[in-house]
Amino acid sequence: MTVDARYAVVGHPVAHSLSPQIHAQFARQTGERVDYAAIDVPPEAFADFWRTGPGRGLAGANVTLPLKGLARDLVDQLSERAAEAAAVNTIIRLDQHRLRGDNTDGIGLVRDLERLEWPLGGRRLLVIGAGGAARGILRPLLDRGPASLTIANRTPARAIALAARFGSELVPCALTELGAAGRFDGVIHASAAGHAVGLELPATLADKDSWCYDLSYGHAARGFVTWARAAGARTAEGLGMLVEQAAESFFLWRGVRPDPAPVHRLLSKEQAKSHE
């Protein structure tokens, strides 16, 4: 097959990424003749990768950990949402010399929550974590009009700084203060601290009428999902967000919006088999 453009996901490490599988499905579905690979790029080699290395042959890329901040500093243009998130997860090549950076994480999360029919408007929401993952999702969440949005972090100063960045719409909170925070309609885990068993949360944060979403998936989400299920809440992992943010990236590159639904079904089946 003749390829019209080449794309990749770049990160360190990146061999585990499902992005090549997702974008291959999108390409078949839309008839776009593109090639998509996973390329491991250490942080110290990231700039040269684009300036003089294989990146010069890419029409665009998804950027994953730990390169999102470096991508923000590298590109020539930033979308409004990438500037506000202070992180880039999607690079679009404008021409031989110029790159544009965007961030599709937040819109990916919101679209997956809408797919799940988990409401945001008028609801009391909690985001756990105040790092780059949290920054990328806050504006799209706020745009859906929640009644309140609390951001809790192990280090309170980071939550306070993030609230100052986004204005009075955010309520900063220390993790140790959550015991008095009451119940939330939705809890989003965006902190790397809970990837195993290191995150301890009050059972009072959620109940059977709440939903809980971890931006990670698989083993990395196990601790938070176990806690949420014990509280009786509905749970979901970030695999759906991964598909939705990929669909937005594909649209930015190709001008064609793929249908994420078949890819959701495929990956959900594969994940269920891996848990058997």
Side-chain angles (χ1 to χ4, degrees):
M1 180 187 75
T2 302
V3 172
D4 292 331
R6 298 186 183 279
Y7 301 90
V9 55
V10 294
H12 184 68
V14 78
H16 65 285
S17 176
L18 294 174
S19 291
Q21 182 180 356
I22 292 170
H23 283 278
Q25 292 290 326
F26 288 161
R28 281 193 287 269
Q29 180 190 115
T30 60
E32 293 291 302
R33 300 184 302 180
V34 300
D35 179 71
Y36 189 105
I39 305 176
D40 193 301
V41 182
E44 63 273 15
F46 185 67
D48 286 341
F49 171 83
W50 287 99
R51 291 175 184 146
T52 60
R56 296 187 67 183
L58 296 178
N62 289 123
V63 182
T64 189
L65 296 176
L67 305 175
K68 293 183 180 183
L70 293 175
R72 173 202 60 197
D73 298 335
L74 173 83
V75 298
D76 303 285
Q77 296 181 12
L78 281 177
S79 70
E80 183 177 344
R81 56 191 178 187
E84 190 162 37
V88 163
N89 84 328
T90 303
I91 292 177
I92 305 104
R93 180 171 294 284
L94 299 175
D95 55 38
Q96 186 178 356
H97 303 290
R98 296 181 305 147
L99 302 170
R100 177 174 172 83
D102 209 327
N103 192 305
T104 64
D105 284 335
I107 195 65
L109 169 63
V110 167
R111 285 179 180 160
D112 197 41
L113 292 172
E114 291 171 346
R115 177 184 68 90
L116 293 166
E117 298 183 348
W118 290 357
L120 296 169
R123 297 317 201 267
R124 191 165 186 255
L125 304 181
L126 169 65
V127 173
I128 299 168
R135 283 199 309 269
I137 65 174
L138 290 177
R139 176 53 57 197
L141 288 172
L142 290 168
D143 286 347
R144 265 57 182 183
S148 66
L149 180 51
T150 298
I151 183 158
N153 195 58
R154 196 180 299 276
T155 305
R158 294 193 70 180
I160 293 170
L162 199 53
R165 181 183 182 94
F166 282 83
S168 59
E169 299 168 285
L170 283 185
V171 180
C173 177
L175 280 180
T176 54
E177 298 172 335
L178 284 177
R183 173 196 167 275
F184 290 87
D185 298 299
V187 182
I188 299 169
H189 181 229
S191 167
H195 278 197
V197 294
L199 190 69
E200 296 182 3
L201 298 172
T204 52
L205 295 180
D207 61 20
K208 64 180 179 62
D209 296 317
S210 306
W211 54 259
C212 295
Y213 193 104
D214 198 306
L215 300 191
S216 300
Y217 58 90
H219 177 74
R222 191 172 301 165
F224 176 75
V225 169
T226 299
W227 166 83
R229 287 175 177 166
R234 292 164 287 170
T235 65
E237 302 176 13
L239 194 59
M241 173 182 168
L242 178 67
V243 174
E244 293 289 345
Q245 67 81 24
E248 180 71 8
S249 295
F250 193 92
F251 173 73
L252 291 173
W253 293 327
R254 308 303 300 168
V256 178
R257 191 173 296 282
D259 180 6
V263 184
H264 281 299
R265 290 193 293 268
L266 175 65
L267 294 185
S268 295
K269 287 179 181 178
E270 291 183 355
Q271 188 178 42
K273 287 181 180 179
S274 69
H275 290 166
E276 291 176 355

